[in-house]
Amino acid sequence: MNIGLIGSGGREHALCQKIFESKLANKIICYPGNAGTSAIAKNINLDILDFKILLKSIKTQKIDLVVVGPEEPLVKGLVDFLIKNKVKVFGPNKYASKLEGSKAFMKRLCKLNNIPTAKFTVCKNEKHVKKFLEKTNLPLVVKADGLAAGKGVTICKTKKHVLNISKEIFKGKFKSSKKLVLEEFLDGEEASYFLVVDKYSFRYFGSAQDHKRLKEKDKGPNTGGMGAYSPAPIINRKLEKKIINKIVRPTLNALSNKKKHYKGFLYVGLMIKNNEPYLIEYNVRMGDPECQVILPRLKTDIVKIFLNAVNNRLKKINIKWKKQKCMTVVLCSKGYPSNYKKNIQINNLNKIKINKNNFVFHAGTKIESKKIISIGGRVLNFTSLGNNYRIMRMNIIKSIKKLNWIYGVFRKDIGWKVIKK
Ligand code: AMP
Ligand code: GLY
């Protein structure tokens, strides 16, 4: 069958590679893809938020199944649009995507269904914020309600900071919404838990821990993610049961009760405190770079999983995983996440040893006259499968040094929690 894959990041290159390995996949079309996907699929460059143009291409290319990588088209209703136009698609509908698209929606759903999460209030103006500040402790977390490309969350240690950030959001800093959520700061260890979901059931789809901060020792500004590893050792059987029973089931039931069944990947962002899981966020897609460490561990044919989910037959499938662990380190363009250089050639990629345990997923790259050019902040994901995180990280760093891309920056301490000195 022909498969259309929406997106252009490292996550999508990892998805594309797995689809490429499937016996069920014939042609793969990436909208728009990157230099990495262009080696195993056909890239078509169009605006993925222009649903009509996208549909036209999906029809012309005779695509049988569409897989949506990033959140924005999901939150804007791409799945509903494609289903209405009789295109098979793997991903959640617009209503269910509000789990990620609106923090206020997600938090209210938690409150209504007794799902453990940080205490919160939704504010629409400064008066609300000031009133809440009178009776609350610091630090306090300020969250823009709508999509904010990973920039919508600020942890504030002073009331002044809360007020300043709130003012910016009310003025429309994030176009997606002018509301905000104020929430209690939770102290604990973060972990991400993934599921693939259909109308009737769900299946475990890996766990991971990522490193969001730019700098070593988890310092510096938040980024989309500087590296990750899977599985997350903190998630054991006992904790998993709590995550399923206290968080996942009540959420999926709440959506089903509204006849807005969830379908697709579900990313459960957690804070673990005293062996209890608290929901920090939902994402309605795979994580990036978490996807790059989960998919290499997958044994089952991914297209089979997509088809079973689309046809509400996930119950019939047993998803199998390799015993090996996986780690990825993100090579960014200097200056990321603020202003970074673009359109710089990347040489030496052919010097990197690629084999069944060591590979590079592309993110912000494009191919031009056979040359690989960086066009994004996060550029390449150096990834390694193995049994020992320390050795995997050593191999990754060796490869990055071999690339010798002088415009690149990366963290050398990815996995510090699982690589004790
Ligand atoms: P979010 O977009 O909601 O995942 O927030 C981004 C990051 O901010 C999370 O990965 C956490 O590191 C941090 N964060 C969010 N909410 C809280 C909270 N209530 N307490 C502590 N840290 C938080
Ligand atoms: N790595 C965090 C995310 O994908 O949202």
Side-chain angles (χ1 to χ4, degrees):
M1 59 193 304
N2 296 336
I3 302 194
L5 175 61
I6 315 280
S8 62
R11 169 182 50 215
E12 285 74 25
H13 188 193
L15 282 164
C16 189
Q17 179 62 36
K18 272 288 158 189
I19 297 170
F20 180 72
E21 289 166 16
S22 164
K23 287 195 184 85
L24 299 167
N26 184 14
K27 190 168 75 168
I28 313 170
I29 309 288
C30 294
Y31 297 104
N34 57 37
T37 65
S38 74
I40 49 176
K42 177 174 172 175
N43 284 356
I44 296 185
N45 195 5
L46 50 71
D47 177 3
I48 58 170
L49 297 177
D50 190 333
F51 295 169
K52 281 190 183 151
I53 288 191
L54 183 59
L55 178 67
K56 208 169 152 203
S57 177
I58 286 168
K59 299 269 184 201
T60 316
Q61 297 295 328
K62 297 195 168 43
I63 285 172
D64 302 294
L65 172 71
V66 173
V67 177
V68 190
E71 61 278 15
E72 204 178 353
L74 292 169
V75 170
K76 293 200 165 141
L78 178 58
V79 167
D80 312 58
F81 174 81
L82 291 180
I83 290 174
K84 216 164 106 193
N85 285 285
K86 309 220 163 8
V87 177
K88 266 195 184 160
V89 54
F90 175 80
N93 57 53
K94 189 174 181 179
Y95 185 88
S97 296
K98 283 201 280 188
L99 285 179
E100 177 168 1
S102 167
K103 301 252 187 224
F105 173 87
M106 184 279 258
K107 296 293 284 192
R108 285 191 185 118
L109 186 141
C110 285
K111 197 170 174 186
L112 275 173
N113 297 280
N114 291 320
I115 295 169
T117 189
K119 290 195 192 85
F120 74 101
T121 188
V122 178
C123 299
K124 288 184 181 155
N125 55 49
E126 276 177 59
K127 224 164 96 187
H128 268 153
V129 175
K130 281 184 183 151
K131 208 167 154 203
F132 188 75
L133 279 175
E134 280 169 17
K135 52 175 185 180
T136 196
N137 295 329
L138 292 158
L140 201 61
V141 188
V142 184
K143 298 187 171 185
D145 171 52
L147 288 186
K151 297 190 177 84
V153 175
T154 315
I155 295 165
C156 300
K157 290 196 177 122
T158 63
K159 292 187 177 182
K160 198 172 159 212
H161 197 192
V162 173
L163 280 169
N164 287 344
I165 298 288
S166 303
K167 267 185 204 161
E168 284 179 10
I169 296 174
F170 293 136
K171 270 194 204 146
K173 180 176 180 190
F174 302 104
K175 291 194 180 73
S176 50
S177 170
K178 283 187 183 173
K179 272 187 289 193
L180 60 81
V181 170
L182 291 183
E183 82 179 33
E184 160 202 27
F185 176 80
L186 292 175
D187 201 8
E189 187 171 340
E190 274 187 74
S192 307
Y193 183 79
F194 296 85
L195 296 165
V196 54
V197 182
D198 74 7
K199 186 170 171 183
Y200 303 118
S201 61
F202 54 85
R203 288 276 178 265
Y204 169 75
F205 206 71
S207 67
Q209 284 180 295
D210 79 341
H211 295 258
K212 287 208 170 81
R213 301 293 200 94
L214 177 71
K215 299 213 164 129
E216 277 154 31
K217 301 204 168 80
D218 290 332
K219 297 223 161 76
N222 258 333
T223 69
M226 297 298 290
Y229 53 91
S230 170
I234 188 170
I235 299 183
N236 54 36
R237 291 253 159 198
K238 213 167 149 194
L239 190 63
E240 189 173 4
K241 261 197 182 153
K242 290 183 189 168
I243 298 168
I244 298 286
N245 291 328
K246 295 185 176 184
I247 298 177
V248 173
R249 278 193 209 283
T251 303
L252 297 179
N253 288 342
L255 294 173
S256 292
N257 290 342
K258 295 232 175 249
K259 301 260 175 301
K260 303 284 185 189
H261 311 278
Y262 196 93
K263 182 174 290 186
F265 290 124
L266 181 62
Y267 170 143
V268 190
L270 298 160
M271 189 69 85
I272 317 293
K273 202 176 152 184
N274 304 326
N275 287 316
E276 286 297 324
Y278 293 84
L279 181 69
I280 292 256
E281 64 166 342
Y282 271 129
N283 292 317
V284 295
R285 51 173 173 84
M286 280 305 283
D288 186 339
E290 292 90 331
C291 188
Q292 293 87 303
V293 289
I294 287 177
L295 289 191
R297 303 183 55 237
L298 177 66
K299 273 193 193 163
T300 308
D301 186 323
I302 200 165
V303 177
K304 204 168 143 193
I305 299 173
F306 290 147
L307 287 175
N308 273 269
V310 167
N311 297 319
N312 295 317
R313 289 161 63 97
L314 267 179
K315 257 192 188 138
K316 306 260 175 217
I317 195 168
N318 189 6
I319 300 180
K320 294 205 169 111
W321 299 92
K322 294 178 191 169
K323 285 225 165 68
Q324 283 168 301
K325 301 164 185 162
C326 192
M327 178 180 279
T328 195
V329 176
V330 180
L331 184 66
C332 300
S333 180
K334 236 177 231 171
Y336 172 79
S338 320
N339 294 329
Y340 53 84
K341 287 187 189 285
K342 282 186 201 165
N343 296 309
I344 309 165
Q345 197 173 326
I346 304 167
N347 301 309
N348 301 339
L349 259 173
N350 54 349
K351 288 191 187 155
I352 310 299
K353 204 165 75 190
I354 303 288
N355 54 36
K356 73 178 202 315
N357 288 335
N358 296 287
F359 28 88
V360 179
F361 292 124
H362 287 236
T365 67
K366 69 170 179 184
I367 192 151
E368 218 175 62
S369 321
K370 295 195 179 149
K371 290 189 183 112
I372 302 205
I373 315 279
S374 78
I375 54 167
R378 291 190 290 173
V379 180
L380 296 167
N381 301 260
F382 286 74
T383 310
S384 185
L385 268 170
N387 299 312
N388 181 312
Y389 281 129
R390 183 190 298 276
I391 297 174
M392 286 144 71
R393 189 172 70 186
M394 241 167 51
N395 289 338
I396 288 172
I397 292 176
K398 245 191 235 166
S399 294
I400 297 179
K401 288 195 169 150
K402 235 186 210 160
L403 184 78
N404 193 23
W405 190 52
I406 57 164
Y407 300 95
V409 284
F410 68 100
R411 274 180 64 168
K412 295 187 192 75
D413 69 339
I414 297 302
W416 63 266
K417 279 192 191 122
V418 283
I419 307 175
K420 296 268 152 49
K421 275 191 185 135

